[in-house]
Amino acid sequence: MTSELLGRTLVEEATKKSGLIWAGSPGAPARALWHVWYEGAACVVGDGPGEQPLPSLTDGANVEVTVRSKDKGGRLVTWTARVVELASGSEAWEAAVAELKGKRLNAPDGEAMVERWGRECRVVRLEPVGSTVPLPDGDLAAAPLPTPATTRRPVPAAVPRLLFKRRGRRG
């Protein structure tokens, strides 16, 4: 009981303080999302023009949420969440949107964004279920994909002579 309570407290405090979480279905790549912690869940808005995509957040699904440290950027905690899509215009939707609109930066339509969210976007709650997921032991960094854009080729032999040749002095 105590470890479960500590786990929930860790999830809440870490998620409140972090401005960014990663959420995704197990086995699928996680997506970075801005969010607001409100009434025991992380609330996100997206899937509309100019908003973040929410590809794996379908109503009723379980997703893994990873929270990073705001100052160091490292992984703090990973937890399982149940996705609950809020109906546009409902009391829960209005309350969540009131919190989200204060955190939305650089909205193209200013105060009209709430109406746009109601018409064109989804507002989703990520509610913690169960306990936290153990942190992995190994390094999770993936090697970058090979690309010719990052390959440096040798400088042609004539370039230094062209760049650094002495110009004749005019007198």
Side-chain angles (χ1 to χ4, degrees), residues 11-101:
V11 165
E12 182 174 345
E13 287 302 314
T15 309
K16 273 183 189 178
K17 292 182 179 180
S18 180
L20 193 65
I21 57 174
W22 280 266
S25 302
R31 181 170 293 274
L33 303 170
W34 69 271
H35 70 286
V36 171
W37 185 265
Y38 179 68
E39 290 189 353
C43 298
V44 296
V45 63
D47 277 353
E51 300 298 338
Q52 59 194 350
L54 308 175
S56 61
L57 302 183
T58 56
D59 193 30
N62 283 345
V63 296
E64 280 191 357
V65 177
T66 301
V67 181
R68 69 177 177 96
S69 166
K70 195 169 190 173
D71 58 345
K72 302 284 185 186
R75 177 190 307 241
L76 285 178
V77 65
T78 300
W79 47 281
T80 304
R82 183 172 44 102
V83 179
V84 177
E85 188 168 343
L86 303 177
S88 179
S90 68
E91 188 175 319
W93 185 90
E94 294 286 342
V97 165
E99 294 293 319
L100 285 163
K101 76 177 183 179

Side-chain angles (χ1 to χ4, degrees), residues 3-15:
S3 65
E4 186 176 320
L5 183 60
L6 288 174
R8 287 204 176 260
T9 303
L10 174 62
V11 165
E12 182 174 345
E13 287 302 314
T15 309

